[in-house]
Amino acid sequence: MNRGEPGDTRSRIIETARELFTAQTYRAASMRDIAARVGITKPSLYHHFRSKGELLASLVGPPIEELEAAIGAASARAEPAQVRQGVLEGCLDVMLAHRETMTLLLRDASVYGDETSETMSRVVGLMNRAVDLLAGPDPDWRGRVRAAQAFAAVADPISQLPDVPIADLRAELLRGAHAILNSANDRQS
């Protein structure tokens, strides 16, 4: 790993944590492992982050904030179809831009624990808000199911297809999510 400038230690810690959490799982990667990989002492690591939970919060904070912004922008659109389009495209673009971090959040059950409950509650809340917006106003239970399926259709495959070029993957994920949502509209007609 590039050691960079001394003032860049916090960034190196976060990047190393992302690498180790992704390779080993959040639970399996220790603060000692992170410190050793960065080339600092464990007490120095604790100078930057008081806990592994705080380190995870710093790692996932930027993508969470970007997801919040995307969902907020989509919810401000006038028409339900525009809202759905904004949610799908906005969330997908953020998830693709932060592919490794999203893989960690979506695939590593060990990130859900007492020390991470605030961070993960925020993530779950965002996912629920996105699904609510995709479902549209006054959905029946089938509409809510299709909305949850559509959101999963853009989110879940991101970690399973790391070799697919982003533009191709984005187009296909959106196509699939729209097919799911359109099937819900076809049933209501």
Side-chain angles (χ1 to χ4, degrees), residues 84 180-189:
R84 283 190 283 278
I180 292 168
L181 289 174
N182 290 337
S183 74
N185 292 337
D186 292 344
R187 291 187 92 157
Q188 292 174 356
S189 300

Side-chain angles (χ1 to χ4, degrees), residues 4 29 35 39 53 55 70 89 91 122 128 153-155 169 182 188:
L55 178 51
E89 289 182 359
C91 289
R122 195 170 162 203
N128 289 338
V154 296
L169 183 59
N182 290 337
Q188 292 174 356

Side-chain angles (χ1 to χ4, degrees), residues 13-153:
I13 293 168
I14 291 171
E15 184 55 34
T16 300
R18 178 188 346 269
E19 292 168 6
L20 289 176
F21 293 166
T22 302
Q24 301 177 5
T25 75
Y26 171 76
R27 181 171 291 132
S30 71
M31 294 293 269
R32 175 169 300 169
D33 295 337
I34 295 166
R37 175 87 68 84
V38 173
I40 61 175
T41 64
K42 192 173 169 185
S44 294
L45 176 58
Y46 280 107
H47 171 74
H48 293 279
F49 298 97
R50 292 176 295 204
S51 68
K52 193 162 64 165
E54 183 180 306
L55 178 51
L56 179 70
S58 293
L59 170 64
V60 301
I64 290 173
E65 289 168 9
E66 290 176 36
L67 283 169
E68 286 172 338
I71 291 168
S75 70
R77 293 183 175 187
E79 298 295 322
Q82 294 173 334
V83 171
R84 283 190 283 278
Q85 186 72 20
V87 168
L88 289 174
E89 289 182 359
C91 289
L92 179 56
D93 289 343
V94 171
M95 289 186 272
L96 287 171
H98 299 281
R99 229 170 169 171
E100 282 187 349
T101 302
M102 296 313 298
T103 298
L104 175 68
L105 290 175
L106 297 171
R107 297 282 176 223
D108 183 358
S110 75
V111 298
Y112 293 88
D114 290 341
E115 69 178 8
T116 62
S117 62
E118 186 177 320
T119 300
M120 298 317 296
S121 177
R122 195 170 162 203
V123 171
V124 170
L126 278 172
M127 307 261 177
N128 289 338
R129 176 76 174 127
V131 169
D132 288 345
L133 289 169
L134 288 172
D138 303 318
D140 63 7
W141 69 270
R142 287 179 180 88
R144 291 193 315 270
V145 167
R146 293 294 181 265
Q149 289 173 320
F151 190 78

